Amino acid sequence: MPDIFFCCQLHLYSIFLKMLSPATKRNISRIIPFGLIWLIFSIVYSLLEWGLLGDLTHYPSTGNPYNFSGTVFITAVVSLISGLLIGTIEILYFYKLFRQKSFIKKIVYKTIIYLAIIISFLLINTAISNSVELKTGVFNKQEWNNVWAFFLSYNFLSVEVYIAAIIGVSLFYTEVSENLGQGVLANFFTGKYHTPIEEERIFMFLDMKSSTTIAENIGHVKYFEMLREYFSDLSNPIIKYSGEIYQYVGDEIVVSWKLKNGLQNNNCIQCFFAMKAAVKKQIRKYNQKFGLLPDFKAGFHIGKVTTGEIGVIKKDIIFTGDVLNTTARIQGLCNTYKVDILISGDLIKKLDLHSQFQIKTLGENELRGRDEKIELFTILSF
């Protein structure tokens, strides 16, 4: 009976996960580390406190009762909830608000803000608790003398420093994780790709049209600013359709999908058109700032890659395999065929596009560096 109940729980949990959008799943995966970091720090703090107090049944400085088993549980639960709350605020609001700030400024500014919020909460909570304990009003002078005595004590100041350290570590992890790319830091920690593995993936090589001409016309500094806006606008569709940014190469962006994620609901192809729509939606912004609307073309292919960690001075998780070179060459033929999207026959066979798209074959093509010819397709309308 317990086994059946457990299986039902797992089934319901899997259904719940499927109902969540890729963006929501991504946000949850970014929030959870906050809770885990706070939980780990709380346990370390409780163990250090236990090591100092030993068998004492009260705190020497305040005389308040002390019990390790009860304290460690309450501290862990409160810390986990606090971490998840701060993670939610950070990911859903503050991360976007401070996006333009430098790495150090983001961590310092947000640490101060979060610490101020926590101290304010503790201040209010302490004032209310003292008011109830002393049976006085919230604004009673004696009560506030007790509150300030507690907040200015060495014990509380040491706790503040510890909380600031937890916040700083949480934010540092988030910023480094975002800079490395979605899931890369977690993969390093778990050692997922420490031993190379072979997997099948879908790749999209997306390249801006006439980038050299644009850079010459608007200047390289202005062009770089446009690239920032351009890549930022392309990010949400990639997240929405379960893509993973593998790398930026100049004005080119390489997006990858795990096979299941890329094929589901034709995500990889849907992503391309959502990216087109996202850029066109910002036509006024691009025309006002840069005097033009950037456009792009893309090539798609599917194949096996070997994925693993590489490097000594600088470590990275990379893909190796013929599929990468082939996808790059498919994308390079977009100008030849005068189309914005080219898809290999291998990928077309795995997708179910006919109900949503008008597909046109462009025949077989002998790609440079390949002995076998590959059939290419394009999509005429959406």
Side-chain angles (χ1 to χ4, degrees), residues 144-154:
W144 278 98
N145 285 338
N146 292 343
V147 171
W148 291 123
F150 169 68
F151 270 79
L152 297 176
S153 68
Y154 174 78

Side-chain angles (χ1 to χ4, degrees), residues 130-147:
N130 278 5
S131 175
V132 172
E133 187 72 25
L134 298 172
K135 296 180 180 178
T136 61
V138 176
F139 299 102
N140 181 273
K141 184 177 180 181
Q142 179 60 42
E143 181 212 331
W144 278 98
N145 285 338
N146 292 343
V147 171

Side-chain angles (χ1 to χ4, degrees), residues 87-362:
T88 302
I89 295 170
E90 167 64 21
I91 298 305
L92 299 184
Y93 182 65
F94 278 139
Y95 182 79
K96 296 177 182 178
L97 190 64
F98 287 86
R99 182 178 289 174
Q100 302 302 323
K101 299 292 182 184
S102 66
F103 186 88
I104 294 296
K105 285 182 178 179
K106 278 191 277 191
I107 292 177
V108 172
Y109 290 168
K110 287 191 282 190
T111 297
I112 292 171
I113 292 171
Y114 288 129
L115 190 60
I117 292 171
I118 292 171
I119 291 174
S120 299
F121 172 77
L122 291 174
L123 184 68
I124 294 168
N125 187 58
T126 304
I128 294 172
S129 298
N130 278 5
S131 175
V132 172
E133 187 72 25
L134 298 172
K135 296 180 180 178
T136 61
V138 176
F139 299 102
N140 181 273
K141 184 177 180 181
Q142 179 60 42
E143 181 212 331
W144 278 98
N145 285 338
N146 292 343
V147 171
W148 291 123
F150 169 68
F151 270 79
L152 297 176
S153 68
Y154 174 78
N155 291 336
F156 185 74
L157 290 175
S158 65
V159 172
E160 286 183 62
V161 172
Y162 197 73
I163 291 174
I166 301 173
I167 296 170
V169 170
S170 304
L171 295 173
F172 183 84
Y173 176 91
T174 302
E175 292 298 332
V176 171
S177 181
E178 293 296 319
N179 286 337
L180 288 177
Q182 183 182 352
V184 173
L185 189 57
N187 289 333
F188 276 128
F189 279 132
T190 59
K192 181 178 180 180
Y193 296 115
H194 184 70
T195 301
I197 63 173
E198 191 175 64
E199 55 186 348
E200 196 167 13
R201 280 184 169 264
I202 297 168
F203 285 90
M204 170 175 68
F205 277 56
L206 185 144
D207 185 47
M208 184 186 292
K209 292 181 180 179
S210 307
S211 57
T212 304
T213 303
I214 292 172
E216 289 174 353
N217 289 340
I218 67 176
H220 290 282
V221 174
K222 201 79 172 174
Y223 172 70
F224 189 86
E225 292 174 1
M226 187 188 74
L227 274 185
R228 274 184 175 173
E229 300 278 357
Y230 172 70
F231 286 141
S232 176
D233 291 332
L234 296 181
S235 297
N236 283 336
I238 294 172
I239 293 169
K240 182 178 179 181
Y241 291 99
S242 304
E244 301 171 20
I245 296 175
Y246 174 46
Q247 59 185 198
Y248 298 102
V249 185
D251 58 84
E252 185 176 75
I253 181 171
V254 180
V255 183
S256 172
W257 285 266
K258 293 178 181 178
L259 189 60
K260 180 182 176 182
N261 293 339
L263 295 180
Q264 185 178 10
N265 300 322
N266 300 317
N267 273 341
C268 57
I269 306 301
Q270 296 276 17
C271 180
F272 172 82
F273 289 102
M275 293 164 89
K276 284 277 188 183
V279 173
K280 286 182 180 178
K281 192 175 179 181
Q282 301 297 328
I283 185 169
R284 179 179 295 180
K285 175 185 73 174
Y286 283 106
N287 283 331
Q288 287 178 349
K289 287 186 175 181
F290 312 107
L292 57 92
L293 180 69
D295 198 6
F296 56 82
K297 55 189 183 293
F300 289 82
H301 190 39
I302 185 174
K304 288 185 177 180
V305 290
T306 302
T307 312
E309 291 180 24
I310 197 169
V312 177
I313 298 174
K314 179 185 180 296
K315 285 189 175 292
D316 203 353
I317 294 175
I318 68 165
F319 302 122
T320 60
D322 178 65
V323 60
L324 293 159
N325 294 327
T326 302
T327 311
R329 285 170 184 147
I330 289 173
Q331 183 269 118
L333 289 172
C334 285
N335 287 340
T336 302
Y337 288 106
K338 296 180 180 178
V339 294
D340 287 350
I341 180 172
L342 281 177
I343 310 168
S344 71
D346 293 339
L347 180 55
I348 284 286
K349 292 173 186 175
K350 301 240 179 212
L351 294 166
D352 181 21
L353 300 175
H354 295 282
S355 60
Q356 296 175 292
F357 304 96
Q358 186 180 351
I359 305 165
K360 178 185 177 183
T361 180
L362 298 174

